[in-house]
Amino acid sequence: SLVHLYHQLGYRQYARPFRPGEGEALRVPLALTLRDLGHMTRVGSPFRQFLPLHDDDRGETARRLGARYRDFSDPRVSPQQLRALWAGLAQTETGEARRGLFDGIAREQWIQLMTGFPKLTVTRGERVYRIGELDRDMGLVLRGRLGVTLGDGDDPHYLAILGPGEPFGELSRLAGTGRTAHLVAVEDAEFAVLPEDVLDRIDTVDVAFGRRVRDNLIRLLGQRLSDMNRLV
């Protein structure tokens, strides 16, 4: 989940991902070519401002790595605002995996469910909703990332960054209140719109499925409360 953030810092993958041992987490080998100023500029790396112009290697280090490692590649990067980038990195400081609404549920099962709900796409900087709006629909991020913020400006401070598999808008639905924060696309994104009665609809199809989704939602709310306490 961190790889796309490191790509914007300027890192590039030079070998295939691997597991060092049974039961251990996946490792993604990355290399940072600080002197490749063109690359650092293209990906929007915050390190670029500290690099002297006279030390530009014009991609020479990258060419050497490419000759030595056949899997060395330039990543596709959609640069985020720096506040969004740092917020995404700060969220991972505890090392805990981010919870999703459908954790522990077969992909085929929830993908089939998603086909019944409308999908919307938003471009970077677009607001999905604003504080105080009264609609109570939930959403599920399918692609890209959305930022939770209380700020109104073009470069707000983000309280959280939501990625694929993470729901949003659940507080309005469960508490019966209006939106408590702004939700902004920090990069081009797609999400499914889940109606206010989505949990009841799931129950009518498969009670066990619905129970698992509710359990995931409770755990996710607990994690978000813990994250917010730590942030405060």
Side-chain angles (χ1 to χ4, degrees):
S1 61
L2 284 174
V3 171
H4 75 284
L5 298 173
Y6 278 93
H7 282 167
Q8 185 171 343
L9 294 180
Y11 287 83
R12 290 184 264 198
Q13 187 172 327
Y14 66 88
R16 293 180 180 276
F18 68 96
R19 294 184 187 275
E22 185 177 353
E24 295 192 47
L26 194 68
R27 305 290 198 270
V28 181
L30 299 170
L32 178 62
T33 53
L34 273 173
R35 295 175 58 215
D36 190 346
L37 301 193
H39 177 71
M40 302 294 280
T41 300
R42 284 191 298 274
V43 300
S45 173
F47 298 149
R48 172 64 185 84
Q49 61 186 310
F50 304 113
L51 307 177
L53 290 175
H54 64 79
D55 202 28
D56 185 2
D57 74 354
R58 301 183 183 277
E60 177 60 26
T61 304
R63 286 189 290 272
R64 291 182 180 180
L65 287 170
R68 179 163 183 165
Y69 299 98
R70 64 180 182 178
D71 293 314
F72 180 81
S73 59
D74 284 339
R76 295 179 60 183
V77 178
S78 298
Q80 302 178 23
Q81 295 170 296
L82 294 188
R83 286 183 184 269
L85 175 66
W86 296 130
L89 286 167
Q91 245 176 223
T92 65
E93 67 179 9
T94 63
E96 297 178 3
R98 304 297 300 170
R99 294 190 182 277
L101 190 61
F102 298 117
D103 285 358
I105 298 172
R107 177 178 172 80
E108 297 76 15
Q109 194 172 10
W110 67 261
I111 286 293
Q112 183 178 6
L113 173 69
M114 288 297 100
T115 61
F117 300 122
K119 314 294 189 302
L120 294 177
T121 58
V122 288
T123 58
R124 175 182 169 181
E126 189 173 349
R127 301 217 168 207
V128 178
Y129 56 65
R130 295 177 178 273
I131 292 176
E133 291 180 348
L134 297 179
D135 60 298
R136 297 178 186 173
D137 290 347
M138 290 172 55
L140 183 77
V141 183
L142 301 175
R143 174 178 56 83
R145 281 169 170 74
L146 306 177
V148 179
T149 178
L150 300 177
D152 269 323
D154 293 332
D155 186 22
H157 173 76
Y158 291 101
L159 303 175
I161 302 295
L162 308 181
E166 293 191 79
F168 58 85
E170 73 286 343
L171 190 58
S172 295
R173 190 268 182 219
L174 296 173
T177 62
R179 302 300 189 192
T180 57
H182 302 302
L183 191 65
V184 184
V186 298
E187 58 185 62
D188 293 352
E190 179 183 19
F191 61 89
V193 179
L194 309 181
E196 183 179 352
D197 63 347
V198 62
L199 298 176
D200 297 329
R201 291 194 192 188
I202 295 174
D203 283 343
T204 62
V205 176
D206 187 328
V207 174
F209 182 14
R211 186 180 302 114
R212 186 58 184 264
V213 172
R214 290 174 190 273
D215 287 346
N216 284 341
L217 186 57
I218 291 171
R219 292 190 180 96
L220 184 143
L221 288 171
Q223 182 184 51
R224 289 183 175 175
L225 177 60
S226 175
D227 289 346
M228 186 59 64
N229 288 340
R230 179 165 46 83
L231 181 64
V232 170

mmCIF file of all heavy atoms in Angstrom, residues 144-164:
data_model
loop_
_atom_site.group_PDB
_atom_site.id
_atom_site.type_symbol
_atom_site.label_atom_id
_atom_site.label_comp_id
_atom_site.label_asym_id
_atom_site.label_seq_id
_atom_site.Cartn_x
_atom_site.Cartn_y
_atom_site.Cartn_z
ATOM 1 N N GLY A 144 -7.944 5.110 -7.279
ATOM 2 C CA GLY A 144 -7.488 6.428 -6.881
ATOM 3 C C GLY A 144 -7.608 6.641 -5.381
ATOM 4 O O GLY A 144 -7.810 5.692 -4.616
ATOM 5 N N ARG A 145 -7.534 7.912 -4.940
ATOM 6 C CA ARG A 145 -7.564 8.222 -3.517
ATOM 7 C C ARG A 145 -8.345 9.495 -3.250
ATOM 8 O O ARG A 145 -8.300 10.441 -4.035
ATOM 9 C CB ARG A 145 -6.131 8.341 -2.967
ATOM 10 C CG ARG A 145 -5.558 6.958 -2.728
ATOM 11 C CD ARG A 145 -4.095 6.912 -2.430
ATOM 12 N NE ARG A 145 -3.747 5.575 -1.988
ATOM 13 C CZ ARG A 145 -3.666 4.508 -2.798
ATOM 14 N NH1 ARG A 145 -3.888 4.648 -4.090
ATOM 15 N NH2 ARG A 145 -3.368 3.316 -2.319
ATOM 16 N N LEU A 146 -9.031 9.479 -2.108
ATOM 17 C CA LEU A 146 -9.831 10.615 -1.672
ATOM 18 C C LEU A 146 -9.307 11.100 -0.329
ATOM 19 O O LEU A 146 -8.900 10.294 0.512
ATOM 20 C CB LEU A 146 -11.310 10.223 -1.531
ATOM 21 C CG LEU A 146 -11.979 9.579 -2.752
ATOM 22 C CD1 LEU A 146 -13.421 9.186 -2.412
ATOM 23 C CD2 LEU A 146 -11.955 10.511 -3.947
ATOM 24 N N GLY A 147 -9.319 12.421 -0.120
ATOM 25 C CA GLY A 147 -8.813 12.999 1.118
ATOM 26 C C GLY A 147 -9.928 13.580 1.969
ATOM 27 O O GLY A 147 -10.837 14.238 1.457
ATOM 28 N N VAL A 148 -9.859 13.321 3.274
ATOM 29 C CA VAL A 148 -10.822 13.866 4.241
ATOM 30 C C VAL A 148 -10.208 15.115 4.848
ATOM 31 O O VAL A 148 -9.086 15.084 5.360
ATOM 32 C CB VAL A 148 -11.130 12.830 5.347
ATOM 33 C CG1 VAL A 148 -12.115 13.408 6.357
ATOM 34 C CG2 VAL A 148 -11.651 11.536 4.734
ATOM 35 N N THR A 149 -10.929 16.230 4.802
ATOM 36 C CA THR A 149 -10.373 17.486 5.289
ATOM 37 C C THR A 149 -11.468 18.378 5.841
ATOM 38 O O THR A 149 -12.637 18.247 5.482
ATOM 39 C CB THR A 149 -9.633 18.232 4.162
ATOM 40 O OG1 THR A 149 -9.134 19.473 4.665
ATOM 41 C CG2 THR A 149 -10.543 18.520 2.981
ATOM 42 N N LEU A 150 -11.083 19.299 6.724
ATOM 43 C CA LEU A 150 -11.990 20.328 7.217
ATOM 44 C C LEU A 150 -11.716 21.668 6.542
ATOM 45 O O LEU A 150 -12.443 22.635 6.756
ATOM 46 C CB LEU A 150 -11.848 20.483 8.737
ATOM 47 C CG LEU A 150 -12.142 19.234 9.576
ATOM 48 C CD1 LEU A 150 -11.899 19.520 11.059
ATOM 49 C CD2 LEU A 150 -13.561 18.740 9.350
ATOM 50 N N GLY A 151 -10.651 21.719 5.730
ATOM 51 C CA GLY A 151 -10.248 22.975 5.102
ATOM 52 C C GLY A 151 -10.954 23.233 3.786
ATOM 53 O O GLY A 151 -11.341 22.308 3.072
ATOM 54 N N ASP A 152 -11.089 24.519 3.453
ATOM 55 C CA ASP A 152 -11.789 24.913 2.231
ATOM 56 C C ASP A 152 -10.850 25.339 1.103
ATOM 57 O O ASP A 152 -11.289 25.504 -0.030
ATOM 58 C CB ASP A 152 -12.739 26.078 2.522
ATOM 59 C CG ASP A 152 -14.125 25.589 2.911
ATOM 60 O OD1 ASP A 152 -14.574 24.588 2.341
ATOM 61 O OD2 ASP A 152 -14.740 26.217 3.795
ATOM 62 N N GLY A 153 -9.567 25.541 1.379
ATOM 63 C CA GLY A 153 -8.659 26.070 0.372
ATOM 64 C C GLY A 153 -8.243 25.043 -0.661
ATOM 65 O O GLY A 153 -8.683 23.883 -0.665
ATOM 66 N N ASP A 154 -7.365 25.481 -1.581
ATOM 67 C CA ASP A 154 -6.870 24.591 -2.634
ATOM 68 C C ASP A 154 -5.814 23.618 -2.130
ATOM 69 O O ASP A 154 -5.522 22.628 -2.787
ATOM 70 C CB ASP A 154 -6.272 25.421 -3.784
ATOM 71 C CG ASP A 154 -7.332 26.235 -4.505
ATOM 72 O OD1 ASP A 154 -8.506 25.789 -4.513
ATOM 73 O OD2 ASP A 154 -6.993 27.314 -5.030
ATOM 74 N N ASP A 155 -5.202 23.915 -0.977
ATOM 75 C CA ASP A 155 -4.146 23.057 -0.441
ATOM 76 C C ASP A 155 -4.427 22.774 1.033
ATOM 77 O O ASP A 155 -3.685 23.207 1.915
ATOM 78 C CB ASP A 155 -2.783 23.741 -0.618
ATOM 79 C CG ASP A 155 -1.624 22.833 -0.214
ATOM 80 O OD1 ASP A 155 -1.811 21.598 -0.210
ATOM 81 O OD2 ASP A 155 -0.550 23.363 0.113
ATOM 82 N N PRO A 156 -5.501 22.027 1.329
ATOM 83 C CA PRO A 156 -5.905 21.840 2.722
ATOM 84 C C PRO A 156 -5.057 20.812 3.450
ATOM 85 O O PRO A 156 -4.341 20.017 2.832
ATOM 86 C CB PRO A 156 -7.349 21.345 2.590
ATOM 87 C CG PRO A 156 -7.338 20.572 1.303
ATOM 88 C CD PRO A 156 -6.398 21.327 0.398
ATOM 89 N N HIS A 157 -5.173 20.806 4.761
ATOM 90 C CA HIS A 157 -4.570 19.755 5.578
ATOM 91 C C HIS A 157 -5.511 18.563 5.574
ATOM 92 O O HIS A 157 -6.710 18.701 5.835
ATOM 93 C CB HIS A 157 -4.366 20.255 7.013
ATOM 94 C CG HIS A 157 -3.898 19.186 7.956
ATOM 95 N ND1 HIS A 157 -2.598 18.730 7.961
ATOM 96 C CD2 HIS A 157 -4.552 18.464 8.904
ATOM 97 C CE1 HIS A 157 -2.475 17.782 8.882
ATOM 98 N NE2 HIS A 157 -3.642 17.597 9.463
ATOM 99 N N TYR A 158 -4.996 17.374 5.258
ATOM 100 C CA TYR A 158 -5.830 16.179 5.182
ATOM 101 C C TYR A 158 -5.756 15.388 6.484
ATOM 102 O O TYR A 158 -4.671 15.078 6.976
ATOM 103 C CB TYR A 158 -5.400 15.302 4.006
ATOM 104 C CG TYR A 158 -5.718 15.926 2.669
ATOM 105 C CD1 TYR A 158 -4.724 16.568 1.930
ATOM 106 C CD2 TYR A 158 -7.008 15.903 2.161
ATOM 107 C CE1 TYR A 158 -5.022 17.166 0.717
ATOM 108 C CE2 TYR A 158 -7.314 16.495 0.954
ATOM 109 C CZ TYR A 158 -6.316 17.130 0.235
ATOM 110 O OH TYR A 158 -6.611 17.719 -0.966
ATOM 111 N N LEU A 159 -6.928 15.055 7.013
ATOM 112 C CA LEU A 159 -7.007 14.248 8.228
ATOM 113 C C LEU A 159 -6.811 12.774 7.925
ATOM 114 O O LEU A 159 -6.360 12.006 8.769
ATOM 115 C CB LEU A 159 -8.363 14.449 8.904
ATOM 116 C CG LEU A 159 -8.711 15.895 9.268
ATOM 117 C CD1 LEU A 159 -10.133 15.966 9.811
ATOM 118 C CD2 LEU A 159 -7.722 16.434 10.292
ATOM 119 N N ALA A 160 -7.185 12.344 6.718
ATOM 120 C CA ALA A 160 -7.052 10.943 6.318
ATOM 121 C C ALA A 160 -7.079 10.857 4.803
ATOM 122 O O ALA A 160 -7.644 11.720 4.131
ATOM 123 C CB ALA A 160 -8.178 10.097 6.913
ATOM 124 N N ILE A 161 -6.456 9.813 4.287
ATOM 125 C CA ILE A 161 -6.474 9.508 2.862
ATOM 126 C C ILE A 161 -7.115 8.132 2.701
ATOM 127 O O ILE A 161 -6.677 7.162 3.316
ATOM 128 C CB ILE A 161 -5.057 9.508 2.263
ATOM 129 C CG1 ILE A 161 -4.370 10.860 2.478
ATOM 130 C CG2 ILE A 161 -5.117 9.167 0.773
ATOM 131 C CD1 ILE A 161 -5.003 12.015 1.754
ATOM 132 N N LEU A 162 -8.146 8.047 1.872
ATOM 133 C CA LEU A 162 -8.864 6.792 1.655
ATOM 134 C C LEU A 162 -8.494 6.221 0.289
ATOM 135 O O LEU A 162 -8.499 6.932 -0.715
ATOM 136 C CB LEU A 162 -10.381 7.022 1.718
ATOM 137 C CG LEU A 162 -10.903 7.753 2.955
ATOM 138 C CD1 LEU A 162 -12.420 7.881 2.888
ATOM 139 C CD2 LEU A 162 -10.475 7.036 4.232
ATOM 140 N N GLY A 163 -8.168 4.919 0.263
ATOM 141 C CA GLY A 163 -7.763 4.256 -0.962
ATOM 142 C C GLY A 163 -8.745 3.166 -1.370
ATOM 143 O O GLY A 163 -9.794 2.980 -0.737
ATOM 144 N N PRO A 164 -8.429 2.415 -2.434
ATOM 145 C CA PRO A 164 -9.314 1.362 -2.937
ATOM 146 C C PRO A 164 -9.731 0.374 -1.845
ATOM 147 O O PRO A 164 -8.913 -0.077 -1.051
ATOM 148 C CB PRO A 164 -8.455 0.688 -4.010
ATOM 149 C CG PRO A 164 -7.549 1.771 -4.498
ATOM 150 C CD PRO A 164 -7.217 2.565 -3.267
#
